[in-house]
Amino acid sequence: MKISKLICSGGRTGFFFDDQHAIKLNAVKDGNTYKGYPVTNGFRSVRQAGESISIMLLLEDGQVAHGDCAAVQYSGAAGRDPLFLAEDFIPIIEKVVKPVLEGREITTFREMAVELDALQYENRPLHTAIRYGITQAALDAVAKSKHKLMAHIVAEEYNTTISDSMIPIFSQSGDEPFLNADKMILKQADVLPHALFNNVDKLGFHGTKLLEYVKWLRNRVFDLRITKDYFPIIHLDVYGTIGTVFDLSYDKITDFLRHLEEAAKPLKVYVEGPVDMGDRDTQALALTRLRQVMEMRGIDIKLVADEWCNTLDDVIYFAKNKAGHMLQIKTPDLGGIHNSIEAVLSCKAHNMDGYLGGTCNETERSAQICAHIAMAVNPVQMLAKPGMGMDEGYMIVYNEMKRILALKDIM
């Protein structure tokens, strides 16, 4: 079967683009925006509406396959590609990608994904968001040409088995860590609440605000849980702020982590981005050393790498060096979705936990396709996305996994 036509449409994402550097420099929260000036190239304001591009492939039998190009909330930070605006990148897709796909025979997903991910514009790789969206559309095209689920295609081509159960879902609260935590507990989210501790003020002096929040959250789980066997994992993203307030002292950081561990018991704790060292190699070295110190001191918290672990090569590097305990595979940052598949499999090969993540700034389509990938390659958890309202992202990912479970053995 051939692809007859490629059509683009600009769209909105489930959240916003935020200038992380400006926020860390103490841009002031003002309602649902920030007062202050952007410092990252391309930003017109500290927060601005997220944008996406839908790639629709009209197949010769009349079916339409599609995927969505989207970039992370904190675009342009920690070595990531720049701000992704539809009006800037639709012309590039039409100039570079359209001639390659129109009239092309649909072959295997892996073959098409590698080809598309390697495309260049002005002697540089295409923006990661474009590579993300066009490979989603390619996966859907292969699945539609074979009348199978996308999860089937991934499992067949990567020699895996589709999960017989749901992948644990990690929900994020945004700037409503109390209200949205209640929603997560009532819906029995497996992992919660992210909580967006993205500056030192939120963390508190010597981490006091974070510690009090963990104590509250632990008690709230037991107050609201519907069944007595509900023991969610507490996963907190701190954007390097723990390292900042404790002057990058491993002893002080691990002392604080022990306090978090005690405050959360019997619930397990994951801490994402405890330090931000400013470059990949130094970041990996710091997380490796922190893990070693924690193991020597018997601290049972998992460290999660995010910043500076942006590409498939980065994931492999962090996994080989045991940089932390879990790696977030931030799907839009890896470009083509085959890279995210390979990243999960690489984590397994190196005995590291791989978490199929992403960003609140994606779309319902990219989230659905990631659910198919998750069910096919079995990461330890998957992010509920898009958005920060909890309900919508959780619903999209949960329901797509349920549909896969219902259909996988009859298609």
Side-chain angles (χ1 to χ4, degrees):
M1 187 181 296
K2 291 184 177 180
I3 297 168
S4 299
K5 192 172 180 62
L6 182 152
I7 305 102
C8 291
S9 63
R12 292 294 193 198
T13 62
F15 202 63
F16 298 89
F17 292 120
D18 284 345
D19 184 344
Q20 188 184 67
H21 293 308
I23 293 170
K24 285 187 173 182
L25 289 171
N26 293 317
V28 179
K29 198 80 168 66
D30 179 24
N32 199 36
T33 188
Y34 291 89
K35 288 181 178 178
Y37 296 99
V39 297
T40 300
N41 187 44
F43 278 80
R44 297 185 299 270
S45 58
V46 176
R47 168 168 285 180
Q48 59 191 76
E51 299 187 20
S52 64
I53 300 172
S54 282
I55 305 286
M56 294 167 283
L57 303 178
L58 178 61
L59 310 186
E60 62 180 350
D61 68 351
Q63 296 185 90
V64 178
H66 77 287
D68 279 356
C69 306
V72 297
Q73 174 188 8
Y74 296 117
S75 290
R80 298 188 177 102
D81 274 0
L83 198 64
F84 184 73
L85 302 178
E87 66 177 5
D88 294 337
F89 288 98
I90 286 178
I92 295 174
I93 294 169
E94 292 180 338
K95 182 176 181 178
V96 177
V97 183
K98 193 171 186 175
V100 172
L101 285 180
E102 289 191 347
R104 190 199 194 284
E105 191 75 33
I106 297 170
T107 54
T108 67
F109 165 66
R110 294 181 80 166
E111 179 183 336
M112 295 179 69
V114 169
E115 177 185 351
L116 293 167
D117 202 45
L119 292 176
Q120 295 195 346
Y121 176 69
E122 296 183 343
N123 297 316
R124 298 184 62 183
L126 295 177
H127 194 292
T128 49
I130 297 176
R131 290 147 49 201
Y132 188 44
I134 60 177
T135 52
Q136 291 170 39
L139 176 59
D140 192 24
V142 173
K144 283 184 164 62
S145 72
K146 295 186 175 184
H147 301 285
K148 294 183 176 182
L149 296 173
M150 288 179 281
H152 284 139
I153 302 302
V154 174
E156 288 170 6
E157 295 195 18
Y158 289 86
N159 195 29
T160 63
T161 301
I162 298 175
S163 177
D164 287 326
S165 59
M166 302 274 285
I167 303 301
I169 298 173
F170 171 34
S171 292
Q172 54 184 336
S173 68
D175 281 318
E176 293 288 351
F178 297 94
L179 177 65
N180 283 337
D182 282 358
K183 296 179 183 181
M184 295 169 192
I185 297 165
L186 292 173
K187 295 187 177 182
Q188 297 201 111
D190 307 289
V191 188
L192 74 175
H194 185 275
L196 203 67
F197 287 90
N198 59 356
N199 62 49
V200 171
D201 182 63
K202 288 183 179 180
L203 196 78
F205 181 70
H206 286 175
T208 51
K209 291 182 181 178
L210 175 58
L211 187 59
E212 287 304 312
Y213 177 72
V214 168
K215 292 176 181 177
W216 173 86
L217 182 60
R218 180 258 182 217
N219 292 334
R220 196 67 170 167
V221 166
F222 293 110
D223 287 344
L224 296 185
R225 65 180 183 174
I226 298 167
T227 60
K228 293 188 181 297
D229 61 350
Y230 177 57
F231 293 90
I233 291 167
I234 296 177
H235 183 141
L236 305 157
D237 195 347
V238 298
Y239 298 88
T241 55
I242 291 177
T244 300
V245 299
F246 292 111
D247 302 316
L248 295 176
S249 164
Y250 294 137
D251 286 338
K252 292 178 181 177
I253 291 170
T254 52
D255 282 344
F256 177 69
L257 293 177
R258 188 183 295 283
H259 290 314
L260 285 183
E261 179 187 10
E262 292 298 323
K265 283 183 175 179
L267 305 181
K268 298 291 186 182
V269 178
Y270 298 170
V271 175
E272 184 171 337
V275 298
D276 187 343
M277 305 301 291
D279 66 77
R280 187 192 77 164
D281 291 1
T282 312
Q283 181 77 356
L285 183 63
L287 291 178
T288 300
R289 181 58 180 153
L290 266 177
R291 174 176 171 160
Q292 292 169 345
V293 174
M294 289 171 64
E295 288 174 351
M296 286 189 295
R297 301 182 67 179
I299 298 171
D300 188 24
I301 281 180
K302 286 190 176 182
L303 301 179
V304 185
D306 178 5
E307 265 67 34
W308 304 106
C309 188
N310 300 332
T311 67
L312 175 57
D313 285 345
D314 294 342
V315 170
I316 294 170
Y317 181 81
F318 275 65
K320 284 181 176 179
N321 286 282
K322 295 292 187 287
H325 304 86
M326 177 187 287
L327 308 181
Q328 181 185 176
I329 297 156
K330 205 154 198 165
T331 52
D333 281 340
L334 272 72
I337 56 172
H338 62 299
N339 294 318
S340 292
I341 295 167
E342 295 280 6
V344 174
L345 298 178
S346 293
C347 286
K348 291 176 182 288
H350 290 96
N351 198 29
M352 287 281 281
D353 287 345
Y355 143 43
L356 194 69
T359 175
C360 54
N361 196 47
E362 294 189 52
T363 70
E364 83 293 345
R365 184 57 179 168
S366 63
Q368 289 167 342
I369 292 175
C370 285
H372 281 261
I373 292 170
M375 291 293 286
V377 298
N378 284 269
V380 295
Q381 64 189 46
M382 180 189 167
L383 181 67
K385 58 186 183 180
M388 286 288 201
M390 189 274 161
D391 298 298
E392 299 84 353
Y394 183 83
M395 171 192 68
I396 290 166
V397 172
Y398 183 96
N399 289 356
E400 192 67 17
M401 287 188 191
K402 282 290 190 180
R403 285 188 281 265
I404 295 165
L405 288 172
L407 294 170
K408 73 182 183 73
D409 294 326
I410 60 174
M411 287 185 68

